[in-house]
Amino acid sequence: MRWVRDYKPQPQVQAWYRQALWITLGGNIFLVSVKALAAYLSGSVALYADAANSASDVVYSLLMVFGLWLAQRPPDLTHPQGHSRFEPLVGLMVTLSMTFAGFEAARASLQRFLAGGLAIEPGLPTLVLLFSAGVKAGMYFAITRLAIKLHSPTLRTTAQDNLSDVLTSTAAFIGASGSKFVHPLLDPIAGFLVAMWIFRAAYRAGRENLNYLTGAGASEELRHKIVEAAQSVPGVLRVHHLMTDYAGPRLVADLHINVDGSTPLVETHRICDEVIARVESIPEVDRAYVHIEPDDWID
């Protein structure tokens, strides 16, 4: 009697995940340390807001390490289908930390705005912000490359967060520079823009992870892709039923297919196994369940 699904260790996959985690965690800890020190020395609220954003990234990184460690554990009797649902659950906790960072950035910007702003001397703040944008751009390309290899929605989200940080650091750079050469209020205004970027990223991350946890269905494009994969198997006449839902970050597909009613049982079983194999070869699909019916049978 088999109680849990098949599991085959994938050392290369584990190595890619570890690489992504080290890049994310190490890069964010380094950046929040540099930004916090520079904000303290310069007094730039835009830089403080950007440091708050980086602090949320550190929390995100720590939770991601824990969440992906749980999600990659093999199936057992307590979780016979695996532990992948832990990944979006941790993602919701990350969303809360991002929201808090946005609130802190907005609060500091409001206080500085009401005080009339402060002219920030060019130098350290602008250099740190440009340096931060460069580091985050490098992290974006590195994590995107690994996300493509692993087909990981979590890493895709992390890569997009890095890209957002490039934009927020650029906004903070404009604010810190403009406070001296244009108007002191440009610094808190830039801080508000940074806060808005954080809230936007938190909203998108929360929506995506809620979809994974609440059983959202596949996109129309992916549904057609699943049907085409099933109908490409010799012996399959058509697919007349398909339901998909996310169980964690990947899909479960339930298909009903039609075959010739005179097909021998052994051949029918082979067709079923081949359909499952082809559908599960789609990176977004975790597992497929196939129900076979004779031709002209519609349930």
Side-chain angles (χ1 to χ4, degrees), residues 17-288:
Y17 270 115
R18 285 195 299 270
Q19 183 181 350
L21 293 174
W22 279 115
I23 292 172
T24 302
L25 183 58
N28 287 328
I29 290 176
F30 172 70
L31 285 177
V32 73
S33 302
V34 172
K35 290 178 183 179
L37 179 60
Y40 174 77
L41 295 175
S42 66
S44 169
V45 72
L47 189 53
Y48 174 83
D50 207 34
N53 185 29
S54 291
S56 75
D57 288 342
V58 172
V59 176
Y60 172 89
S61 302
L62 291 171
L63 291 175
M64 190 176 75
V65 169
F66 179 68
L68 288 180
W69 174 77
L70 283 177
Q72 295 301 311
R73 292 176 63 193
D76 54 33
L77 288 176
T78 63
H79 294 83
Q81 292 290 357
H83 297 77
S84 62
R85 293 194 184 190
F86 281 100
E87 191 173 331
L89 182 62
V90 173
L92 289 180
M93 298 170 63
V94 171
T95 301
L96 293 177
S97 71
M98 294 171 66
T99 303
F100 177 75
F103 170 77
E104 282 295 303
R107 182 185 61 82
S109 298
L110 178 61
Q111 289 179 343
R112 179 62 58 83
F113 185 86
L114 294 176
L118 176 67
I120 305 299
E121 293 295 331
L124 182 61
T126 54
L127 290 176
V128 168
L129 291 169
L130 285 177
F131 174 73
S132 173
V135 171
K136 279 291 185 175
M139 293 171 63
Y140 165 73
F141 287 113
I143 298 300
T144 297
R145 177 176 56 84
L146 291 170
I148 293 173
K149 289 181 178 180
L150 293 166
H151 305 287
S152 169
T154 298
L155 294 184
R156 285 199 303 271
T157 302
T158 302
Q160 290 302 312
D161 181 62
N162 289 330
L163 182 59
S164 294
D165 288 344
V166 173
L167 300 177
T168 56
S169 291
T170 302
F173 166 75
I174 294 172
S177 301
S179 68
K180 177 66 176 179
F181 299 107
V182 181
H183 195 282
L185 286 179
L186 275 183
D187 183 51
I189 289 174
F192 279 123
L193 292 176
V194 170
M196 292 304 103
W197 271 107
I198 298 173
F199 286 134
R200 174 179 175 272
Y203 169 76
R204 295 180 66 181
R207 182 180 61 181
E208 180 180 26
N209 285 285
L210 277 174
N211 283 339
Y212 293 149
L213 284 173
T214 57
S219 65
E220 181 177 1
E221 178 183 0
L222 184 52
R223 292 197 304 270
H224 286 300
K225 189 175 181 180
I226 293 171
V227 170
E228 289 172 3
Q231 292 184 158
S232 69
V233 175
V236 175
L237 300 179
R238 63 182 174 276
V239 176
H240 71 263
H241 169 102
L242 171 64
M243 293 186 66
T244 63
D245 65 288
Y246 279 99
R250 298 177 69 197
L251 281 170
V252 175
D254 177 18
L255 301 91
H256 290 206
I257 64 176
N258 290 91
V259 301
D260 191 319
S262 63
T263 305
L265 178 60
V266 172
E267 178 64 13
T268 301
H269 188 72
R270 184 201 66 77
I271 292 172
C272 178
D273 286 346
E274 182 63 22
V275 170
I276 292 174
R278 294 199 186 186
V279 172
E280 290 185 351
S281 69
I282 298 173
E284 296 88 347
V285 177
D286 180 45
R287 57 188 184 273

